[in-house]
Amino acid sequence: MSDEFSTKGAYTTMGEEFTRDTAYITDRITKDARPVGPGIQTWPVEAGRYRLVVSRACPWANRTTIVRRLLGLEDAISMAVCGPTHDVRSWTFDKDPEGRDPVLGYERLQDAYFARFQDYPKGITVPAIVDIPTKAVVTNDFPWITLDFSTEWTEFHRDGAPDLYPEHLRDEMESVMKLIYTEINNGVYRCGFAGSQDAYDKAYDRLFNALDKISHRLETRRYLMGDTITEADVRLFTTLARFDAVYHGHFKCNRQKLSEMPVLWAYARDVFQTPGFGDTTDFVDIKRHYYEVHEDINPTKIVPKGPNFANWFTPHHREEMGGSPFGDGTAPGPVREPLEPGHSIEELIVAQSA
């Protein structure tokens, strides 16, 4: 595996511009393993068969923890949580007793990849879904993991689960989510890993042009697609949640902090304060990952103490726009798998005020 995985994850470079490597394992888990397209292997939906492997530091993995909780899939799909850092080889299960996942028996996520693909040549990425009986990776194709949670795992959704991928909105959603992914989710990385001043300047302009477009869209609607939360909001939120803590300084995305962009900041607080979002966001792991792993950007590995997280709980007033986060559904119940001690935002606020 390339040493580049140790700092930037799976990516390639085109000249001096950051380009993410999107050659994921395209297998999908579908109802009765129904076919979904040429060249895509499908696996059957089966409660208890699969293990979702995440790191709470990773924005792509954070999507899966949010959607799994919103839909109530905790009993159907178990979850393993890697630590916030990785080395050249892979993510590790250093949060578990003796540094080994109790279900898979692995110390490193790479073992699940190698169990299926000997000498797997790509990045060992999270999120990944692993087949528990064979202990082999099924897929790491993160955009489809959450969409399939919504559309293929419906038998195991909780009562009152929201419709995060409404059929009548899908065409418009795909356009919005493409903008979010290419220009915002990936845009912050394009800034952070730019290989020249010119590449950085172009990336910076692209990112903030897209943020301005999304801000304009949110001036007249509470959520990206209207009155209720959808997959599009999940995809935007995980980048916004990391913006002031990491991307503003570490990735030089510093035209403004999120907290200085009134519409986006109010929207982000609205979503953060919704069950399933803030309670799955681990700012400790987020900061440790970026500042400790990206040694080429931060060679000292010093993790900043700030920012102050208390402002995430300030009133946002977005409820005055109407709508309801879950539409005709209900909020998920109490957190089943809380963040580790000292990592919840409530505890961080107390620690910062001490």
Side-chain angles (χ1 to χ4, degrees), residues 314-334:
T314 56
H316 52 76
H317 304 294
R318 297 280 293 183
E319 71 280 357
E320 296 171 9
M321 302 178 75
S324 173
F326 303 110
D328 294 332
T330 59

Side-chain angles (χ1 to χ4, degrees), residues 105-167:
Y106 292 145
E107 294 180 354
R108 292 177 172 274
L109 178 57
Q110 71 174 10
D111 294 330
Y113 281 73
F114 292 162
R116 184 169 176 205
F117 305 104
Q118 187 176 10
D119 298 324
Y120 183 73
K122 310 294 284 185
I124 308 297
T125 62
V126 290
I129 294 184
V130 178
D131 179 46
I132 295 173
T134 62
K135 299 183 180 180
V137 68
V138 173
T139 182
N140 64 346
D141 195 354
F142 64 88
W144 277 109
I145 289 174
T146 49
L147 293 180
D148 286 339
F149 281 177
S150 285
T151 60
E152 304 293 333
W153 287 81
T154 53
E155 177 185 355
F156 301 103
H157 287 183
R158 65 178 176 86
D159 291 339
D163 184 356
L164 298 176
Y165 195 44
E167 192 163 1

Side-chain angles (χ1 to χ4, degrees), residues 43-85:
W43 302 60
V45 166
E46 185 178 328
R49 176 172 175 175
Y50 304 102
R51 191 150 175 83
L52 172 65
V53 181
V54 304
S55 168
R56 296 191 187 275
C58 171
W60 322 104
N62 195 180
R63 293 183 185 183
T64 64
T65 63
I66 293 169
V67 172
R68 176 175 172 270
R69 171 152 158 68
L70 294 180
L71 299 178
L73 291 172
E74 292 96 334
D75 289 332
I77 307 168
S78 68
M79 186 170 74
V81 180
C82 297
T85 63

